[in-house]
């Protein structure tokens, strides 16, 4: 019995040597032929594989009783194909995966015998030998996968690469009563309980070509008109639209022109009526304007005049906070619109937002808020800003898209398995 065990192990060892040597020589020949422009490379690969199977069949005669497959000619052929095919496939995968994992399998050619040896060992008839080779195979696979998982970029690194951002560029902070918004590629905070669909505070004046017909007859498919709940003709040429949603409007027909003034529902009807009746021409030609208490013209052109509320806290996003970074300038001058509170901290304000700028080594951290955000809140948020953790980055960065070329490849499946078993 002991002699049978040694013969079985000798057969396994010889199978490993034959497979390892032919794998190295054959791959070198085929690669040289393919890159040399020869069309015979693939034929050479087939010939070499047939030679490998033939040599393995010869090796199987060392101990025909060692495997249930090697007792007959057909079984030996199957055994040769199995050891040669599976061993070569494992050899290729081990070569690529170990190099990617930093193990450097390709630097040790003698290790090429291992995959063929393991496959031949698993096919032995004696169960304890087969089980031993299987255990070694699984152990080596797990060690390789563990090393691969450690060498692979983490999901956070992949997200950063896909977003073309660096870890250092994302700084976060926390503010009581605020929560972070996901997948915006920067740290943005919104007040808890904020309306996800706030009313537009803008008032808009349009100048349309008038068409004959009743004052409340207009093209409701025109998106400039609000959806109508009711329309009331107050007098010839003047009609009020009570919107079905959040916008009301007045229509005033003057000398072939249909003036349309739309406003959020909280604007008083009398204010809207006075405004439409005092519309006047302005520059550029074809443009109209009017006076609306609490509003200022933001833009004016023939396609329409937009009015913005003087109270900037009514603007969308006026309660949000955004955190950005940028390279610190060589000079640290404070513009005329800013106030320096400390040598590294300054406050800036414009018509729509205000912000604190904190110099931190090679970066400037900007914590910006709408005018509804108290200045003290911005200051505290700036002073408590810190580098993003992995969990923070997973929140603000969208998942990396799968690779189109590798998403279904065996290597990508193995990478995914390594991350699943040993990843963070």
């Amino acid at each position: 019995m002991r002699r049978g065990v040694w013969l079985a192990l000798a057969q396994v060892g010889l199978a490993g040597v034959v497979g390892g040597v032919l794998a190295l020589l054959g791959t070198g020949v085929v690669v040289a032929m393919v890159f040399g422009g020869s069309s015979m490379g693939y034929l050479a690969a087939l010939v070499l594989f047939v030679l490998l199977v033939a040599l393995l069949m010869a090796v199987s005669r060392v101990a025909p009783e060692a495997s249930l497959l090697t007792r007959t000619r057909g079984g030996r052929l199957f055994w040769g194909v199995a050891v040669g095919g599976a061993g070569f496939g494992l050899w290729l995968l081990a070569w690529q995966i170990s190099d990617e994992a930093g193990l450097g399998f390709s630097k040790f050619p003698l290790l090429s015998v291992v995959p063929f040896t393991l496959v031949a060992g698993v096919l032995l008839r004696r169960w304890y030998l087969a089980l031993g080779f299987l255990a070694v195979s699984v152990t080596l696979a797990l060690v390789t996968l563990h090393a691969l998982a450690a060498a692979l970029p983490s999901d956070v690194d992949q997200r950063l690469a896909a977003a073309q951002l660096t870890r250092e560029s994302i700084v976060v902070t926390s503010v009581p009563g605020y929560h972070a918004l996901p997948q915006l590629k920067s740290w943005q905070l919104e007040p808890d309980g904020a309306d996800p669909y706030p009313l537009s505070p803008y008032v808009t004046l349009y100048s349309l070509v008038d068409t004959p017909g009743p004052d409340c007859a207009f093209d409701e498919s025109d998106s400039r008109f609000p959806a109508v709940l009711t329309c009331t003709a107050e007098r010839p040429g003047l009609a009020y639209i009570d919107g079905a949603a959040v916008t009301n409007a007045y229509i005033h027909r003057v000398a072939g022109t249909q003036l349309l003034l739309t406003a959020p529902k909280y604007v008083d009807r009398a204010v809207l009526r006075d405004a439409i009746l005092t519309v006047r021409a302005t520059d550029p030609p074809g443009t109209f304007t009017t006076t609306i208490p609490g509003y200022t013209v933001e833009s004016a052109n023939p396609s329409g005049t937009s009015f913005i509320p003087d109270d900037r806290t009514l603007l969308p996003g006026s309660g949000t906070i955004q955190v950005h970074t940028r390279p610190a300038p060589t000079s640290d001058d404070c513009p005329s619109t800013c106030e320096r509170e400390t040598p590294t901290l300054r406050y800036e304000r414009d018509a729509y937002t205000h912000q604190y700028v904190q110099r931190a080594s090679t970066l400037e951290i900007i914590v910006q808020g709408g005018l509804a955000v108290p200045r003290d809140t911005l200051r505290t948020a700036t002073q408590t800003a810190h580098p993003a953790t992995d969990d923070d980055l997973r929140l603000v960065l969208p998942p990396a898209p799968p690779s189109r070329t590798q998403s279904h490849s065996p290597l990508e499946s193995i990478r995914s398995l390594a991350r699943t078993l040993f990843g963070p």
Side-chain angles (χ1 to χ4, degrees):
M1 180 176 178
R2 180 174 296 180
R3 183 174 181 275
V5 170
W6 285 112
L7 284 175
L9 293 177
Q11 177 176 287
V12 168
L14 284 173
V17 171
V18 169
V21 171
L22 269 183
L24 288 173
L25 294 178
T27 302
V29 170
V30 172
V31 170
M33 294 181 70
V34 171
F35 280 93
S38 174
S39 59
M40 302 295 290
Y42 298 105
L43 178 61
L46 179 60
V47 171
L48 287 169
F49 183 73
V50 171
L51 176 61
L52 172 62
V53 172
L55 290 174
L56 288 171
M57 290 178 66
V59 167
S60 70
R61 291 181 176 274
V62 172
E65 301 298 323
S67 172
L68 295 176
L69 298 175
T70 54
R71 296 177 177 179
T72 64
R73 180 185 296 272
R76 287 192 290 273
L77 174 62
F78 183 82
W79 185 87
V81 171
V83 173
F88 185 74
L90 290 174
W91 175 74
L92 283 179
L93 283 176
W95 187 298
Q96 297 180 63
I97 294 170
S98 67
D99 282 358
E100 187 172 340
L103 299 177
F105 178 68
S106 60
K107 298 178 182 178
F108 304 96
L110 291 178
L111 292 178
S112 299
V113 305
V114 173
F116 298 92
T117 301
L118 293 176
V119 174
V122 170
L123 295 177
L124 289 173
R125 177 173 59 85
R126 289 178 170 86
W127 67 268
Y128 51 89
L129 293 179
L131 187 61
F133 278 102
L134 180 61
V136 172
S137 301
V138 172
T139 300
L140 290 176
L142 291 176
V143 169
T144 304
L145 289 174
H146 185 273
L148 178 61
L152 289 173
S154 68
D155 65 309
V156 172
D157 291 331
Q158 293 180 66
R159 292 180 187 223
L160 286 166
Q164 298 182 332
L165 295 170
T166 63
R167 286 177 177 267
E168 295 75 18
S169 68
I170 301 181
V171 173
V172 303
T173 188
S174 58
V175 177
Y178 282 74
H179 60 272
L181 298 174
Q183 300 189 7
L184 295 181
K185 298 184 180 181
S186 64
W187 195 252
Q188 299 191 32
L189 300 174
E190 181 183 68
D192 295 342
D195 185 353
Y197 306 104
L199 296 178
S200 171
Y202 292 93
V203 174
T204 309
L205 175 64
Y206 300 101
S207 172
L208 312 175
V209 176
D210 196 12
T211 56
D215 291 329
C216 282
F218 49 86
D219 184 5
E220 294 191 30
S221 64
D222 190 332
S223 61
R224 291 171 290 190
F225 290 89
V228 179
L229 181 62
T230 60
C231 179
T232 305
E234 296 186 353
R235 71 182 195 196
L238 182 67
Y240 174 73
I241 299 174
D242 184 7
V246 296
T247 305
N248 294 332
Y250 258 103
I251 301 172
H252 190 203
R253 306 167 78 173
V254 182
T257 298
Q258 189 179 62
L259 300 172
L260 172 66
L261 185 64
T262 64
K265 284 208 166 189
Y266 58 74
V267 176
D268 187 76
R269 177 173 176 176
V271 170
L272 202 60
R273 186 176 190 275
D274 290 341
I276 193 71
L277 293 176
T278 56
V279 169
R280 57 194 181 276
T282 187
D283 291 326
T287 302
F288 293 85
T289 189
T290 188
T291 300
I292 306 174
Y295 279 81
T296 303
V297 174
E298 182 182 45
S299 63
N301 54 67
S303 64
T305 301
S306 178
F307 300 84
I308 188 172
D310 297 336
D311 182 1
R312 299 295 196 262
T313 63
L314 297 176
L315 295 179
S318 65
T320 61
I321 297 173
Q322 302 181 23
V323 184
H324 303 284
T325 62
R326 66 190 178 201
T330 54
S331 64
D332 196 24
D333 296 333
C334 186
S336 58
T337 56
C338 85
E339 302 175 27
R340 185 175 295 284
E341 296 191 356
T342 73
T344 60
L345 183 67
R346 67 178 188 266
Y347 172 74
E348 300 175 354
R349 182 185 178 103
D350 61 28
Y352 298 92
T353 62
H354 59 154
Q355 64 186 28
Y356 269 93
V357 180
Q358 173 81 55
R359 190 182 182 100
S361 185
T362 60
L363 289 177
E364 281 189 336
I365 301 170
I366 301 98
V367 181
Q368 183 184 82
L371 296 181
V373 181
R375 176 172 172 173
D376 288 346
T377 299
L378 284 183
R379 182 191 296 108
T380 302
T382 306
Q383 293 172 334
T384 57
H386 56 275
T389 65
D390 281 359
D391 287 339
D392 294 330
L393 293 171
R394 290 187 182 98
L395 175 63
V396 301
L397 297 175
S403 169
R404 293 183 178 180
T405 58
Q406 296 183 340
S407 58
H408 300 295
S409 70
L411 275 177
E412 189 62 24
S413 299
I414 293 171
R415 293 186 189 103
S416 177
L417 177 62
R419 291 191 187 96
T420 302
L421 293 176
F422 303 108

